Amino acid sequence: MKIEQIDLKAYGHFTNQRLSLAGDANFHIICGPNEAGKTTLWRAINGALFGIPDRSQDTFLHDSKKLRIGLDLISTSGER
């Protein structure tokens, strides 16, 4: 399974941000300066796949009941 797009609608310090990972690459590296949101992005992906914990540390801007993450996934067979 591959992540093609991440929508951080309301998560951590992100609001209505989109990261596209579409294309032929099978490997992506996310880099940026300290406090840019790399770890927040990682927690958002985990939250989207496995559920956001009740006591998330990413509620300082958005209420815990209003955290929103979207993922576009594609399987190895091409199913979306």
Side-chain angles (χ1 to χ4, degrees), residues 8-17 36-38 40-41 61-62:
L8 298 167
K9 298 174 184 183
Y11 196 86
H13 66 275
F14 295 107
T15 303
N16 294 324
Q17 296 293 312
K38 300 177 299 290
T40 301
L41 177 62
L61 184 60
H62 308 285

Side-chain angles (χ1 to χ4, degrees), residues 3-7 17-23 28 30:
I3 299 173
E4 287 208 321
Q5 183 171 287
I6 305 163
D7 288 309
Q17 296 293 312
R18 177 173 286 166
L19 177 62
S20 176
L21 303 173
H28 295 277
I30 307 295

Side-chain angles (χ1 to χ4, degrees), residues 60-74:
F60 52 88
L61 184 60
H62 308 285
D63 182 74
S64 64
K65 297 192 185 304
K66 295 183 180 182
L67 294 178
R68 298 290 180 262
I69 310 157
L71 290 182
D72 288 345
L73 304 171
I74 187 166

Side-chain angles (χ1 to χ4, degrees), residues 42-72:
W42 175 248
R43 284 194 304 267
I45 292 168
N46 280 312
L49 293 173
F50 305 110
I52 300 171
D54 291 334
R55 294 182 178 231
S56 173
Q57 57 187 328
D58 296 297
T59 59
F60 52 88
L61 184 60
H62 308 285
D63 182 74
S64 64
K65 297 192 185 304
K66 295 183 180 182
L67 294 178
R68 298 290 180 262
I69 310 157
L71 290 182
D72 288 345

